[in-house]
C-alpha cells in the first residue's frame, strides 16, 4: 500500500495536515492503520460542503469503507460524514466565526465516538476522492449555478445527474432552473 500513497503525504496526523483544495476534487489513498488529515480556513458566515467518495481498491477488489470528521482547532468534533447516495457527506452552514478546521479521513473500522457504522474488524485501505466547496456568506457567496436570479438567466440542470449537489438558497435571492425533458415516446 505504501507504493500507492498519494501526493498529500505525509499527512498522517493533525500536525502534518495538508491544506485542502477548494472547488476541485482531491484524489487520496488511505493505507491500513493510517489517517489522512487536511486543513481548511473558513470565514465567518461561510458555508462548507464536504464529500468523500471511495473507489475500488486494486488489492481488496472493492471500494474501502471510509469515514471522515471535521474538527475545530481545539480538536473538538464539529461534523461527522454521513452516508448519502454513494458519498459520505457533511455541510457546515454559516460558520459562526472565522476558524481553521481539520478534516480527518479514516477507515471505518477505527472507533469514532457517536458516528454511524463504525466497525471493529479488518483495517480498510484504498483510493478516495475528497471534494470541498466553500461559499462566502449570503447574499454575496452565491453557489456554483449563479447568476440565475431571473427567468432569462436560468441555470440548466442535467437530466442525467441523479442529484445536484452544492446548491444553496440565500434569503431574498430567488434562483431559477430549467430541466430539459426527453422527447415523449410515441405509441406507434
Amino acid at each position: 500500500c505504501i507504493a500507492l500513497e498519494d501526493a498529500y503525504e505525509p499527512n498522517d496526523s493533525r500536525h502534518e495536515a495538508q491544506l485542502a483544495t477548494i472547488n476541485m476534487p482531491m484524489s487520496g489513498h488511505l493505507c491500513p492503520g493510517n489517517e489522512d488529515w487536511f486543513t481548511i480556513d473558513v470565514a465567518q458566515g461561510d458555508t462548507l460542503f464536504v464529500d468523500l467518495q471511495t473507489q475500488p481498491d486494486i488489492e481488496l477488489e472493492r471500494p474501502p469503507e471510509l469515514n471522515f470528521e471535521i474538527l475545530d482547532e481545539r480538536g473538538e468534533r464539529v461534523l461527522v460524514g454521513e452516508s448519502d447516495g454513494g458519498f459520505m457527506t457533511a455541510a457546515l452552514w454559516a460558520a459562526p466565526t472565522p476558524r481553521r478546521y481539520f478534516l480527518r479521513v479514516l477507515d471505518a473500522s477505527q472507533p469514532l465516538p457517536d458516528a454511524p457504522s463504525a466497525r471493529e474488524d479488518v483495517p480498510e485501505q484504498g483510493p478516495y476522492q475528497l471534494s470541498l466547496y466553500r461559499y462566502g456568506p449570503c447574499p454575496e457567496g452565491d453557489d456554483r449555478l449563479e447568476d440565475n436570479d431571473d427567468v432569462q438567466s436560468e441555470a440548466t440542470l442535467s437530466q442525467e445527474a441523479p442529484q445536484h449537489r452544492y446548491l444553496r438558497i440565500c434569503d431574498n435571492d430567488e434562483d431559477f432552473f430549467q430541466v430539459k425533458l426527453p422527447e415523449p415516446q410515441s405509441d406507434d
Side-chain angles (χ1 to χ4, degrees):
C1 183
I2 300 297
L4 299 173
E5 290 206 287
D6 56 67
Y8 301 99
E9 294 292 341
N11 67 335
D12 300 336
S13 70
R14 186 174 159 183
H15 300 292
E16 296 176 309
Q18 298 291 318
L19 185 62
T21 303
I22 304 299
N23 301 337
M24 182 183 302
M26 302 177 343
S27 295
H29 193 99
L30 195 71
C31 287
N34 205 348
E35 298 177 346
D36 285 348
W37 286 78
F38 300 91
T39 63
I40 182 168
D41 294 320
V42 177
Q44 183 173 355
D46 280 0
T47 296
L48 174 68
F49 297 104
V50 180
D51 278 346
L52 176 79
Q53 186 174 30
T54 59
Q55 296 149 358
D57 179 68
I58 59 173
E59 292 177 26
L60 295 177
E61 298 180 350
R62 64 170 174 77
E65 294 183 36
L66 304 180
N67 203 344
F68 73 87
E69 64 179 344
I70 298 173
L71 304 115
D72 65 17
E73 60 260 314
R74 296 182 310 272
E76 294 181 23
R77 184 179 305 113
V78 176
L79 294 167
V80 174
E82 296 181 16
S83 182
D84 180 21
F87 295 88
M88 293 301 288
T89 190
L92 173 68
W93 296 94
T97 60
R99 176 170 290 167
R100 171 162 284 185
Y101 289 97
F102 292 86
L103 190 146
R104 177 173 79 136
V105 177
L106 65 158
D107 127 28
S109 70
Q110 293 180 334
L112 189 62
D114 305 322
S117 71
R119 299 182 354 257
E120 299 287 339
D121 57 350
V122 180
E124 293 287 321
Q125 70 178 40
Y128 63 87
Q129 184 169 303
L130 186 64
S131 300
L132 291 89
Y133 294 87
R134 180 182 57 208
Y135 299 108
C138 284
E140 293 82 23
D142 289 330
D143 62 44
R144 65 184 176 83
L145 294 180
E146 290 288 346
D147 189 23
N148 62 335
D149 296 333
D150 55 44
V151 174
Q152 290 76 29
S153 61
E154 64 201 10
T156 301
L157 300 177
S158 168
Q159 62 183 347
E160 285 83 33
Q163 56 183 297
H164 295 276
R165 304 176 74 77
Y166 323 118
L167 304 179
R168 70 175 183 172
I169 298 172
C170 293
D171 290 339
N172 302 316
D173 179 26
E174 292 183 332
D175 289 336
F176 291 82
F177 303 94
Q178 108 171 250
V179 177
K180 294 186 183 200
L181 300 176
E183 293 294 323
Q185 299 290 328
S186 80
D187 293 333
D188 297 337

